[in-house]
Amino acid sequence: MTFRADLEIVAAALESQVAAARGRRTPVLAQRPLLDLIEDLHLVRLAREGGLTGEALQRFTDAYLDSIINLHQPGYMGHQVAVPHPAASLGALIDGLTNNPMAIYEMGPGAAAIEWFVINWMLEKVGWTPAPAESGQRADRTFGGGVLTHGGSLANLTALIAARSALRPDAWCRGDQGDLAVIAPESNHYSIDRAVGILGIGTRNIYRVPCDSRGAMRPETLPQILARIRADARTPLALVANACSTAVGVYDPLRPIGELCRELGIWFHVDGAHGASALLSTEYRHRLDGVELASSLTWDAHKMMRTPSVCAALLVRDHRTIDSAFSQQASYLFHDKEQPGFDFLHRSVECTKSAMGLRFFMVLAALGEQGLARYVEHQYRLAEQVHDYLNGIDGIEVAVTPESNILCLRLPGTDARQLTLRDGILDHGDFYITSTEFQGRRWLRLVFMNPETTLEDVKRLVGQLQAMEPLKSDGAVG
Ligand SMILES: *Cc1c(COP(=O)(O)O)cnc(C)c1O
């Protein structure tokens, strides 16, 4: 079989799978035991004998597509991963076969040019100065920079590395003095804790900022926290804010936090892995008001920008901070090498890097930035509509008025009851939802990632939940 013939087999299988999913004719998720899947996919035989082409490929692809979680099914309201735009999957295919590890320019000039362009496009959306494209530019001028990373967690780690190199340029070589502190909201994503652990700062040196009843940081508590850090003879390395939080999707008030950080010279990192895409929307960009005061911003394309995993960005207001993040002496010069182009290698944790920019760019080029903005608005608006709908239903409690496309609700009963309800929904197969803890209680969590999910879908979901709910017998509030 030729590549082309195999491609057609895969394309046809994908097309009918996605059509069935979009038509709600297939479950979102039908979990089967691991050993059954190993058998059904004939993994042992295929690994031993090879020959995955033609009819064997057909059977394997069909069996594989039977084992997936179907993000393209509008009943998918689960974790915050993009329902990919088909154009982006073509980008993944092209990169999959050409495999240009573009961290050095000559190993993927086109991919590096796209990454350069995408980073500049994002910088402009933040309100930061994009990097000048022409050589001969003074490299000590202030303009932004960034790098695409394999995920927001890695972007957050890179941000804290850049912050440390900015505060303690010799820490890279000597190690730090064991006196650093990181300030973060109670609601920060666990990747912040991991980054702090990885950097050797110690997670016990994260000073948590109290949040209000909506789970947003209370900036008025910051002076007290800073006084505590001083009393503990520590130095703040960075302050992290959410835009938006993972659990309930609420934005921290970036402007007052950013102003304070600027006044005190503290690195301000905005974790916008999920919610930075609201910058594209004239209607919702105010949720990130003040983001331009930040030192760095994490922004995932594989969450709210229809891009398959993984593609995330770390952006910095001043390119010098990322250019010197991983070494004591940064070459601040952009064009100091003989060869053409720009190497991203010195900005990234990774050595081999996929052409992530291609996956994202192909969505951008298919939808246009207005199209992407409309997607974000549509999803955020759906959460508002669902909130209004749920408000009218007795017995259903909503955690917070949604500020993004994340909505958490509770039915009567204990925390354990909420988990039982989720299990019931998953068994049913029409919907996929998650659960989260917020303000000490367990909530059912809906994240509207699929552009074809409607209010009617949510009404059917609520119907299924209520049908499972023994209203009188388990009325105890947990
Ligand atoms: C999803 C998320 C992350 C982690 O990003 P990955 O791309 O999954 O590594 C970090 N922070 C926030 C706020 C998130 O929502």
Side-chain angles (χ1 to χ4, degrees):
M1 291 296 280
T2 62
F3 172 67
R4 176 67 174 267
D6 278 348
L7 197 57
E8 271 159 26
I9 287 171
V10 171
L14 283 173
E15 193 167 57
S16 67
Q17 173 72 24
V18 170
R22 291 176 65 190
R24 300 166 175 80
R25 296 191 299 278
T26 179
V28 183
L29 173 67
Q31 292 187 79
R32 279 178 299 144
L34 180 134
L35 292 179
D36 289 8
L37 287 178
I38 288 177
E39 195 162 313
D40 292 355
L41 291 162
H42 299 289
L43 302 189
V44 176
R45 181 173 54 77
L46 283 168
R48 194 171 53 229
E49 298 171 7
L52 185 68
T53 181
E55 275 174 33
L57 176 66
Q58 174 96 60
R59 281 193 299 275
F60 177 79
T61 307
D62 289 345
Y64 179 77
L65 291 178
D66 237 21
S67 74
I68 63 170
I69 178 157
N70 254 304
L71 307 192
H72 292 278
Q73 225 272 32
Y76 177 80
M77 304 175 196
H79 294 284
Q80 303 149 275
V81 291
V83 176
H85 190 281
S89 72
L90 297 180
L93 176 67
I94 294 169
D95 185 41
L97 197 62
T98 55
N99 199 30
N100 278 202
M102 42 61 64
I104 47 175
Y105 190 75
E106 62 193 33
M107 285 301 287
I114 290 173
E115 179 156 336
W116 176 271
F117 174 86
V118 162
I119 293 290
N120 270 347
W121 178 84
M122 289 173 142
L123 287 170
E124 275 187 346
K125 298 298 168 208
V126 180
W128 289 339
T129 312
E134 284 316 305
S135 57
Q137 292 282 348
R138 292 280 311 275
D140 56 356
R141 246 188 50 210
T142 303
F143 51 85
V147 65
L148 295 181
T149 67
H150 292 91
S153 304
L154 212 45
N156 283 338
L157 172 64
T158 309
L160 292 188
I161 293 170
R164 192 181 61 179
S165 291
L167 182 71
R168 299 272 169 81
D170 58 352
W172 185 256
C173 173
R174 296 185 176 201
D176 74 48
Q177 302 158 15
D179 68 334
L180 297 178
V182 169
I183 308 163
E186 287 166 337
S187 53
N188 70 255
H189 187 264
Y190 72 85
S191 59
I192 298 296
D193 291 49
R194 287 207 176 158
V196 169
I198 291 167
L199 278 165
I201 294 167
T203 52
R204 67 172 189 183
N205 298 314
I206 300 177
Y207 289 70
R208 308 279 176 191
V209 185
C211 292
D212 62 19
S213 60
R214 296 152 46 250
M217 225 199 268
R218 290 171 48 204
E220 71 277 13
T221 65
L222 286 172
Q224 226 177 326
I225 289 170
L226 287 162
R228 241 175 62 222
I229 292 175
R230 267 195 308 276
D232 294 347
R234 298 199 158 269
T235 306
L237 169 67
L239 190 157
V240 180
N242 287 318
C244 52
S245 65
T246 306
V248 294
V250 160
Y251 287 81
D252 286 333
L254 302 185
R255 185 165 295 284
I257 300 168
E259 281 166 357
L260 184 72
C261 285
R262 195 159 277 190
E263 192 186 309
L264 301 175
I266 298 174
W267 185 285
F268 179 30
H269 175 63
V270 175
D271 184 357
H274 182 88
S277 296
L279 288 170
L280 303 181
S281 158
T282 46
E283 192 180 339
Y284 291 108
R285 94 162 266 137
H286 71 270
R287 302 257 148 96
L288 290 112
D289 176 53
V291 67
E292 70 283 357
L293 298 169
S295 315
S296 56
L297 169 71
T298 291
W299 181 355
D300 280 12
H302 66 229
K303 283 184 174 169
M304 287 302 286
M305 293 205 289
R306 307 286 319 271
T307 304
S309 310
V310 289
C311 178
L314 175 70
L315 306 170
V316 292
R317 190 179 63 225
D318 181 345
H319 73 97
R320 288 168 291 195
T321 59
I322 180 102
D323 284 327
S324 57
F326 294 97
S327 75
Q328 202 170 351
Q329 293 125 4
S331 152
Y332 287 154
L333 297 176
F334 264 48
H335 303 281
D336 61 345
K337 56 176 204 158
E338 309 272 295
Q339 300 85 4
F342 180 76
D343 296 338
F344 281 95
L345 193 63
H346 68 288
R347 290 184 174 179
S348 74
V349 174
E350 304 100 307
C351 171
T352 304
K353 216 158 88 80
S354 69
M356 286 172 274
L358 178 66
R359 289 196 277 274
F360 166 61
F361 182 77
M362 285 181 75
V363 185
L364 182 60
L367 292 174
E369 52 184 35
Q370 291 305 316
L372 263 181
R374 274 197 298 277
Y375 161 73
V376 173
E377 288 166 356
H378 183 263
Q379 305 313 104
Y380 277 38
R381 221 171 282 137
L382 177 61
E384 292 163 8
Q385 288 161 1
V386 170
H387 177 251
D388 290 347
Y389 165 70
L390 294 176
N391 256 347
I393 300 180
D394 258 6
I396 291 190
E397 196 182 341
V398 176
V400 296
T401 306
E403 293 186 2
S404 64
N405 57 331
I406 300 174
L407 185 139
C408 294
L409 70 147
R410 252 181 94 95
L411 273 77
T414 59
D415 281 359
R417 178 71 190 151
Q418 311 305 317
L419 291 173
T420 309
L421 286 168
R422 174 175 184 263
D423 290 345
I425 291 296
L426 263 57
D427 282 346
H428 225 282
D430 291 346
F431 300 99
Y432 178 82
I433 63 174
T434 59
S435 87
T436 191
E437 209 178 290
F438 176 67
Q439 310 290 31
R441 292 198 295 161
R442 180 62 53 181
W443 301 79
L444 300 173
R445 178 168 173 270
L446 317 183
V447 187
F448 304 116
M449 301 303 293
N450 189 308
E452 296 179 37
T453 302
T454 63
L455 184 57
E456 289 309 309
D457 287 313
V458 180
K459 287 181 181 174
R460 282 194 302 121
L461 166 68
V462 170
Q464 281 190 13
L465 285 167
Q466 286 173 323
M468 279 186 276
E469 178 68 9
L471 273 170
K472 292 284 179 291
S473 61
D474 188 31
V477 174

